[in-house]
Amino acid sequence: EPEVTQTPSHQVTQMGQEVILRCVPISNHLYFYWYRQILGQKVEFLVSFYNNEISEKSEIFDDQFSVERPDGSNFTLKIRSTKLEDSAMYFCASRDGGGVETQYFGPGTRLLVL
Amino acid sequence: QKEVEQDPGPLSVPEGAIVSLNCTYSNSAFQYFMWYRQYSRKGPELLMYTYSSGNKEDGRFTAQVDKSSKYISLFIRDSQPSDSATYLCATPHGSGNTGKLIFGQGTTLQVKP
């Protein structure tokens, strides 16, 4: 069964460093998403991406964040200068663009900023 | 007012019990509703989705939507220890066709053998 994959599973970084989180969405999907979940809190929307551009972003997704689909399979989230409060689980999701808006999530990357 | 609300629990039941998990939502424009299951430190896994008011059944799981009261339920029959997880309700709501999901807090369920 097709699935969304994410790498790395864990990332530890120093405050102020850049990190890139990688995702491979399901191959025939057209819409791509990043969410994050701070420990013990809700899953929060960060950004949606369609047709090679951002279609919507949340207030969390400020200038420190960027997304890219560098080729036909990968979808990346870059945090330019990490802060302590960026420590969270980051989930990538994708959907096929059909009538039902169901999204399929990857296993997540646990980011710890020290 | 929060857009989607869930009682975080935890909810503890004996194996074989019928479980009822609930969400309320505030915006009558919400049309689709999903239930995701999330095991500890894993990604959300789609269980079921519903569109209209009424019931939808899939094996031991039944999703129910009452749009008049803005109430969503997930029933689990014959609950198993493997059902122990956090259950998240979600609804897509974004500008245009972005489909961003708005999640509830999640209800943690423990099924004891």
Side-chain angles (χ1 to χ4, degrees):
Chain A
E1 185 174 321
E3 58 182 16
V4 177
T5 59
Q6 290 185 244
T7 54
S9 57
H10 294 80
Q11 174 93 44
V12 180
T13 190
Q14 296 291 323
M15 190 170 57
Q17 294 297 302
E18 175 183 287
V19 294
I20 297 176
L21 310 183
R22 292 183 166 81
C23 169
V24 179
I26 295 172
S27 63
N28 62 339
H29 283 190
L30 301 176
Y31 294 81
F32 313 108
Y33 305 85
W34 284 101
Y35 293 82
R36 80 171 185 189
Q37 187 177 30
I38 295 170
L39 190 64
Q41 297 188 23
K42 281 188 180 187
V43 176
E44 300 175 286
F45 168 78
L46 290 178
V47 65
S48 59
F49 192 86
Y50 171 69
N51 200 25
N52 283 319
E53 60 182 21
I54 290 173
S55 46
E56 188 174 356
K57 58 184 180 180
S58 71
E59 292 176 353
I60 304 166
F61 195 88
D62 61 21
D63 292 345
Q64 294 301 312
F65 291 86
S66 62
V67 290
E68 194 176 39
R69 187 156 163 82
D71 52 43
S73 60
N74 291 283
F75 181 50
T76 62
L77 174 69
K78 182 192 291 187
I79 309 175
R80 259 180 276 283
S81 177
T82 50
K83 306 181 184 69
L84 296 176
E85 55 265 35
D86 294 328
S87 296
M89 195 77 162
Y90 288 81
F91 296 109
C92 174
S94 68
R95 71 177 176 102
D96 64 7
V100 180
E101 300 174 35
T102 51
Q103 296 176 25
Y104 296 87
F105 283 73
T109 294
R110 180 165 297 280
L111 176 65
L112 178 61
V113 182
L114 301 176
Chain B
Q1 185 180 14
K2 294 179 183 177
E3 293 184 288
V4 179
E5 292 198 59
Q6 276 182 272
D7 183 340
L11 180 61
S12 182
V13 301
E15 182 175 354
I18 296 174
V19 176
S20 172
L21 303 166
N22 307 297
C23 283
T24 58
Y25 63 95
S26 58
N27 190 337
S28 57
F30 295 160
Q31 297 186 39
Y32 288 99
F33 301 95
M34 289 88 172
W35 282 97
Y36 285 84
R37 178 174 61 195
Q38 186 178 26
Y39 291 112
S40 182
R41 296 176 181 253
K42 302 292 184 184
E45 170 196 6
L46 180 66
L47 276 177
M48 296 180 71
Y49 65 87
T50 56
Y51 173 64
S52 58
S53 283
N55 294 351
K56 182 176 181 180
E57 192 173 314
D58 185 0
R60 295 186 295 112
F61 298 88
T62 300
Q64 188 176 78
V65 176
D66 181 347
K67 290 191 175 180
S68 62
S69 57
K70 300 190 183 71
Y71 201 79
I72 314 159
S73 300
L74 178 71
F75 300 96
I76 308 174
R77 289 185 300 281
D78 188 25
S79 55
Q80 303 295 308
S82 59
D83 295 328
S84 299
T86 297
Y87 290 81
L88 309 170
C89 60
T91 183
H93 187 65
S95 59
N97 192 28
T98 66
K100 77 173 186 185
L101 289 178
I102 299 170
F103 282 89
Q105 177 76 14
T107 300
T108 299
L109 171 67
Q110 184 180 29
V111 181
K112 295 184 175 179

